[in-house]
Amino acid sequence: MHGQERLQRLAVQKYDELIATSALSSASQSGDFKDRNLDGIEWKADVVPSGVTNLDQIKVTVYETDSSGNGGSAEIDGLRYNPPVTTSTPATGAGG
């Protein structure tokens, strides 16, 4: 697999993982792929308000940090829906 294609696939996989596990808060996050035995490759995820209520834009960037690599990078972005938090008050019935 070519370097750029590998970075793109890793970006898609990390994006899917973050969305599926709801592991992404409203702050930026970053990490590496050492759990997959891939040294010299890191990722960063940014959450940006989209301007639409309850909708965030998610951008995942995967990049090479190894000095022997070509310094390539790949990005993927998409949208995440955040359901509104609803509060309910207990119904009060007439006693009798």
Side-chain angles (χ1 to χ4, degrees):
M1 183 179 329
H2 297 284
Q4 187 63 34
E5 183 180 341
R6 176 177 63 167
L7 294 176
Q8 186 67 33
R9 287 185 185 203
L10 288 169
V12 170
Q13 290 170 3
K14 181 53 70 175
Y15 175 87
D16 289 345
E17 175 187 322
L18 292 170
I19 294 297
T21 61
S22 301
L24 195 58
S25 66
S26 60
S28 294
Q29 295 182 16
S30 61
D32 56 37
F33 292 96
K34 290 184 180 180
D35 60 327
R36 300 181 191 189
N37 293 323
L38 295 173
D39 291 328
I41 301 176
E42 296 183 3
W43 62 270
K44 179 181 178 186
D46 294 308
V47 179
V48 180
S50 69
V52 176
T53 303
N54 299 326
L55 203 60
D56 291 329
Q57 180 178 3
I58 310 295
K59 180 168 90 171
V60 175
T61 305
V62 173
Y63 52 94
E64 292 181 329
T65 59
D66 187 5
S67 60
S68 65
N70 63 5
S73 66
E75 282 184 8
I76 185 168
D77 61 352
L79 298 172
R80 173 184 67 177
Y81 175 69
N82 294 316
V85 177
T86 58
T87 57
S88 60
T89 55
T92 56

